């Protein structure tokens, strides 16, 4: 735990009032950071024991400030297993949020659409997740300071918050899509056969992040919300070659709706 407290002490020495809401910004969705006012920005490389993100489109900054007058922390750039970190390191910031006193975690990501009713550019509320093909981030000695060994997973994405988010989504995007996010380790996109298999298993979208963070958040008792930007239809759905450039470009197109949704959501949560 020593390294956790070192990190927390450093952050507390830079930021006086720690917000109760943290937002993890997914690939191409980082421009929400520009809307944050009265910012204190801390670069990951300056934070003791913090990992550093290596992916294009992920900036590597922790931003403290206010969004629509609501205090928030935004993580501009997250960590993925495919970068080479072990899973514990990919979720290190989530445990730091918990120790800082954060109560609500908003996880966002870019993902491929598996549900054939989805379209590129849609936003989806994550209702549940699948992670059959990856080891659990909680494998190994349990960190009792955060939570118990065996945890219930029937409310990973907080049901009450999902209900709050639905009318916001409907109002801003004209649609209210919900679904199951399937986690794949990457860094390859999936094969068409994998996508057909995931569809059979009940997945609506697929991506390479979020699930480890959501599991750790659940373990430590954070309330979690997940929002996915469908940046492409998954492999084999359309006759398209998938590229990270296209993913980032579509995420950019979703950005206006995405920012509006997050702003209204934090305002609503703040009023509870
Ligand atoms: N698969 C996995 N991860 C992704 C995708 C995808 O199709 N699109 C964006 N992230």
């Amino acid at each position: 735990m020593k390294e956790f407290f070192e990190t927390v002490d450093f952050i507390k020495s830079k930021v006086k009032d720690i917000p109760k809401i943290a937002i993890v910004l997914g690939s191409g969705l980082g421009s929400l950071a520009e809307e944050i006012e009265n910012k204190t920005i801390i670069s990951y490389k300056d934070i003791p024991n913090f990992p550093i993100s290596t992916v294009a489109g992920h900036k590597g900054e922790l931003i403290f400030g206010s969004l629509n007058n609501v205090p928030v922390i935004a993580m501009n750039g997250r960590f993925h297993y495919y970068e080479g970190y072990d899973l514990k390191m990919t979720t290190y910031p989530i445990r730091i949020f918990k120790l800082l006193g954060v109560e609500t975690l908003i996880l966002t990501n870019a993902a491929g659409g598996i549900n054939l009713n989805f379209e590129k550019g849609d936003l989806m509320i994550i209702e549940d997740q699948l992670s059959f093909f990856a080891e659990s981030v909680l494998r190994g000695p349990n960190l009792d300071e955060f939570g118990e060994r065996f945890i219930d997973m029937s409310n990973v994405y907080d049901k009450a918050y999902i209900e709050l988010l639905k009318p916001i989504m409907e109002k801003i995007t004209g649609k209210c899509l919900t679904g199951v996010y399937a986690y794949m380790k990457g860094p390859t996109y999936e094969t068409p056969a994998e996508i057909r298999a995931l569809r059979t298993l009940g997945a609506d979208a697929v991506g390479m992040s979020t699930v480890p963070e959501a599991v750790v958040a659940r373990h430590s008792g954070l309330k979690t919300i997940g929002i996915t930007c469908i940046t492409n239809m998954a492999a084999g759905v359309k006759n398209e070659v998938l590229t990270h450039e296209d993913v980032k470009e579509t995420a950019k197109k979703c950005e206006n709706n995405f920012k509006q949704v997050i702003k209204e959501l934090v305002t609503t949560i703040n009023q509870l």
Side-chain angles (χ1 to χ4, degrees):
M1 287 303 286
K2 188 169 147 278
E3 74 273 27
F4 286 102
F5 289 120
E6 240 173 51
T7 308
V8 166
D9 288 346
F10 174 83
I11 292 172
K12 282 188 173 164
S13 76
K14 302 275 174 208
V15 184
K16 220 167 60 230
D17 294 315
I18 304 283
K20 299 274 181 238
I21 302 175
I23 309 164
V24 178
L25 299 172
S27 288
L29 299 171
S31 78
L32 180 83
E34 289 157 21
E35 313 262 320
I36 298 177
E37 296 180 315
N38 303 317
K39 285 193 264 256
T40 303
I41 301 178
I42 313 179
S43 181
Y44 294 166
K45 65 177 173 17
D46 296 331
I47 308 177
N49 311 322
F50 223 71
I52 294 166
S53 49
T54 66
V55 190
H58 285 259
K59 224 170 167 184
E61 290 174 344
L62 209 51
I63 300 157
F64 296 79
S66 49
L67 190 61
N68 244 7
N69 291 320
V70 179
V72 297
I73 312 176
M75 244 186 101
N76 197 358
R78 62 141 62 84
F79 308 105
H80 309 79
Y81 182 67
Y82 64 73
E83 290 174 80
Y85 301 110
D86 75 27
L87 271 175
K88 290 233 155 33
M89 218 47 208
T90 65
T91 53
Y92 187 77
I94 309 302
R95 288 187 162 134
I96 294 301
F97 292 153
K98 174 68 186 180
L99 294 174
L100 285 169
V102 166
E103 292 170 358
T104 303
L105 179 67
I106 303 175
L107 295 173
T108 71
N109 59 49
I114 294 181
N115 185 323
L116 299 174
N117 295 320
F118 289 178
E119 291 172 30
K120 202 164 140 164
D122 279 341
L123 292 178
M124 178 191 95
I125 302 173
I126 306 179
E127 272 192 327
D128 206 348
Q129 65 189 26
L130 283 176
S131 60
F132 294 135
F133 307 115
E135 74 180 53
S136 171
V137 62
L138 298 178
R139 177 173 173 269
N142 186 51
L143 294 182
D144 297 332
E145 292 85 351
F146 291 99
E148 292 174 11
R149 168 81 297 182
F150 299 106
I151 51 167
D152 177 79
M153 292 292 279
S154 46
N155 197 22
V156 176
Y157 298 94
D158 190 88
K159 290 194 173 58
Y161 281 5
I162 289 174
E163 291 311 312
L164 289 179
L165 182 52
K166 282 180 179 172
I168 296 173
M169 235 3 146
E170 180 79 52
K171 185 175 105 187
I172 291 165
T173 70
K175 296 184 190 180
C176 177
L177 306 177
T178 58
V180 172
Y181 175 94
Y183 172 64
M184 297 292 272
K185 286 180 291 207
T188 53
Y189 292 114
E190 300 67 35
T191 63
E194 284 166 340
I195 294 303
R196 286 193 299 274
L198 288 172
R199 186 178 299 117
T200 306
L201 294 171
D204 297 291
V206 59
M208 305 173 197
S209 68
T210 303
V211 163
E213 294 150 346
V215 171
V216 164
R218 180 80 190 117
H219 182 243
S220 23
L222 291 172
K223 287 194 174 199
T224 302
I225 300 168
I227 301 175
T228 289
C229 172
I230 304 290
T231 49
N232 54 282
M233 291 311 287
V237 174
K238 296 253 160 74
N239 209 0
E240 281 173 352
V241 175
L242 305 186
T243 68
H244 188 53
E245 289 314 308
D246 288 344
V247 165
K248 283 190 294 179
E249 201 183 304
T250 313
K252 273 231 139 333
K253 290 190 188 139
C254 297
E255 261 180 340
N256 274 343
N257 277 347
F258 173 75
K259 286 186 212 171
Q260 292 252 94
V261 166
I262 299 284
K263 279 186 184 173
E264 288 224 12
L265 178 62
V266 297
T267 306
T268 308
I269 293 171
N270 194 46
Q271 284 162 354
L272 292 177

